[in-house]
Amino acid sequence: MKFKIKYIIVLVLVISTLLCGFIMFKTITNKPIPEFETQVYQVKNGYGYSIQYHQKTLIKQDFIPVIQKNQSFCNYEDAQKVATLVVEKLVKKQNPRISLQELKDLNIQINCIN
């Protein structure tokens, strides 16, 4: 009789441990990984940005897009505004290309005063 009780207790403990492990595994693996992340970084004469998708770099932009010269963003905020717009376009499955009008709409400073 004592053997049956010990066997049942061990069985219940094993099942409980497996159930707890399964619940913890599902909780950890169900956390959504952010699909797109932006990072603004400093370059020689200003700022640039990068966009990662599932921790892989999709876009690395050291210069303001669409203008003819290689001009970095004048400040952190301008780089972040454009990076955010690009991510919005990517999420909507649109072409991420930025137009001159969009730069104007975001009030992006093109000529930096050093």
Side-chain angles (χ1 to χ4, degrees), residues 3-109:
F3 179 73
K4 276 188 169 181
I5 293 174
K6 286 181 182 179
Y7 180 73
I8 291 174
I9 290 173
V10 169
L11 186 61
V12 168
L13 287 173
V14 168
I15 291 172
S16 298
T17 303
L18 290 173
L19 184 60
C20 287
F22 178 74
I23 291 170
M24 287 176 53
F25 175 76
K26 290 300 279 182
T27 302
I28 291 170
T29 57
N30 282 342
K31 289 183 180 176
I33 297 173
E35 291 188 12
F36 292 102
E37 290 184 37
T38 62
Q39 180 181 11
V40 175
Y41 54 87
Q42 202 161 13
V43 293
K44 185 177 180 183
N45 295 320
Y47 293 87
Y49 68 85
S50 64
I51 297 174
Q52 293 80 31
Y53 180 74
H54 292 288
Q55 301 171 342
K56 292 184 181 181
T57 301
L58 283 182
I59 298 171
K60 185 172 188 283
Q61 188 72 43
D62 291 343
F63 307 110
I64 301 172
V66 111
I67 63 172
Q68 297 300 315
K69 58 183 181 174
N70 287 341
Q71 170 67 45
S72 300
F73 290 93
C74 299
N75 56 59
Y76 181 97
E77 293 78 18
D78 283 357
Q80 186 62 60
K81 285 184 207 175
V82 174
T84 300
L85 177 60
V86 171
V87 167
E88 287 172 6
K89 288 181 170 196
L90 289 169
V91 167
K92 294 177 183 176
K93 299 187 186 315
Q94 296 175 347
N95 186 332
R97 185 174 294 147
I98 299 297
S99 70
L100 190 55
Q101 184 60 49
E102 288 170 321
L103 292 178
K104 289 178 183 178
D105 292 344
L106 292 172
N107 295 319
I108 302 301
Q109 185 178 353

